[in-house]
Amino acid sequence: MKIERPLIFNAAKVNGFTLTELLVLVVTFAILGGLLLPALAGTKPNSAAFQCLQNQRQMVRAWQMYADDNGAMLVASLDNPPGTGFFNGRPIWLKGNAQNTPYNWDVNTLTNSPLYNYVGKSASFFKCPADLTTWIIAGKAYPSVRSISMSQVFDAGQWLPATKYRTYAKLTEIVKPASTFVFIDENPASMNDGGFATECDPITKDIIDLPANYHDKAAGVSFADGHTEMHRWTGPIISTGSFSLSYSPADAGDWQFLADNTTVLK
């Protein structure tokens, strides 16, 4: 009969960590944790910035799907004539004007949008969770239901101006989709209709509509190719929310970003 030899544990032959090595490991992990935790905290799934970009990603996808179902035709950012709800036969993405209608506090303005069905009939995608704006109507405060506006390049492009720069009626017409923003968080100080006006002319360089700065002087922006990003503003007009329809040399970087990501010359 074969007898199995018992296994003998020889502590002398085990290569373990010395106390010094253990201390080095503890210190290393502590340093790595200190470096990584702040970064992870800013990107955790339940953060407002993360959800803002998720909402815009859903909205720009809905914008693309509408075009796919309608022969590449895009919804318009503004109507013309005003009040018709259409621009050259294209429906506007959102009706109304915040200055004289319950445009920003009545959820019905969202449910009537041609994009509403494409976001699963969920009104939450139209708003950045960091937007705490309220509108006082007849003495009662109503929370805003919308934070985003659509680029003026998808209507007449009055401020671009359209005489020099391209506007787009179809998805297939967009020259640089990755550098053409569709939706942007807009500051309530300049929010009125559904369009976001930008001026691309380097001679005047005015900042027309004002982006929001809900995320430590940054705003969510979504683009025609479907990607989204959180863009941080550096100039005093946008970063402080000082709406003034103007420009100063300190705002050059912010104006350049808007101009470069709106459209191209004809």
Side-chain angles (χ1 to χ4, degrees):
M1 181 176 66
K2 183 178 181 181
I3 300 175
E4 297 289 342
R5 297 181 62 185
L7 294 175
I8 299 175
F9 178 76
N10 189 343
K13 293 184 178 180
V14 175
N15 294 320
F17 289 107
T18 65
L19 180 59
T20 301
E21 289 171 333
L22 285 173
L23 288 174
V24 171
L25 281 174
V26 170
V27 172
T28 301
F29 282 122
I31 293 173
L32 288 174
L35 293 172
L36 291 175
L37 283 177
L40 292 173
T43 58
K44 58 184 180 180
N46 61 347
S47 70
F50 178 89
Q51 190 59 54
C52 173
L53 293 182
Q54 287 293 92
N55 289 352
Q56 287 218 28
R57 189 170 289 110
Q58 292 293 331
M59 289 301 303
V60 77
R61 179 59 185 144
W63 175 82
Q64 292 172 328
M65 288 191 294
Y66 178 91
D68 290 342
D69 288 345
N70 290 274
M73 182 178 70
L74 298 169
V75 289
S77 41
L78 291 178
D79 54 1
N80 190 27
T84 61
F86 288 88
F87 179 80
N88 292 344
R90 296 156 50 209
I92 61 171
W93 84 284
L94 211 58
K95 295 180 181 179
N97 189 306
Q99 305 303 318
N100 52 31
T101 70
Y103 185 47
N104 279 342
W105 58 268
D106 187 351
V107 73
N108 288 326
T109 61
L110 308 182
T111 60
N112 292 325
S113 168
L115 301 184
Y116 185 68
N117 288 343
Y118 288 92
V119 289
K121 298 182 178 181
S122 175
S124 64
F125 292 122
F126 290 77
K127 183 179 179 179
C128 169
D131 181 5
L132 304 179
T133 306
T134 57
W135 300 82
I136 306 300
I137 309 296
K140 184 177 179 180
Y142 294 86
S144 177
V145 297
R146 172 179 71 99
S147 303
I148 57 175
S149 294
M150 182 181 290
S151 174
Q152 186 194 27
V153 79
F154 303 111
D155 58 62
Q158 173 187 354
W159 288 94
L160 297 173
T163 53
K164 296 182 180 179
Y165 295 89
R166 292 177 183 269
T167 58
Y168 303 119
K170 289 189 172 184
L171 189 62
T172 51
E173 294 174 349
I174 301 176
V175 177
K176 296 181 178 180
S179 301
T180 303
F181 83 85
V182 180
F183 295 107
I184 189 169
D185 287 332
E186 184 173 359
N187 192 308
S190 71
M191 183 179 283
N192 43 28
D193 48 40
F196 186 93
T198 55
E199 187 174 62
C200 298
D201 195 328
I203 297 176
T204 48
K205 291 187 178 179
D206 285 337
I207 293 177
I208 310 302
D209 282 336
L210 193 67
N213 53 11
Y214 299 129
H215 307 285
D216 189 21
K217 299 183 179 180
V221 190
S222 54
F223 295 80
D225 69 340
H227 88 274
T228 61
E229 65 180 64
M230 190 63 63
H231 183 78
R232 192 173 306 281
W233 312 105
T234 58
I237 290 179
I238 300 176
S239 62
T240 63
S242 304
F243 180 55
S244 59
L245 288 173
S246 60
Y247 168 86
S248 72
D251 301 293
D254 295 341
W255 174 85
Q256 195 69 58
F257 174 83
L258 291 171
D260 288 346
N261 290 280
T262 297
T263 187
V264 297
L265 285 164
K266 290 183 173 179

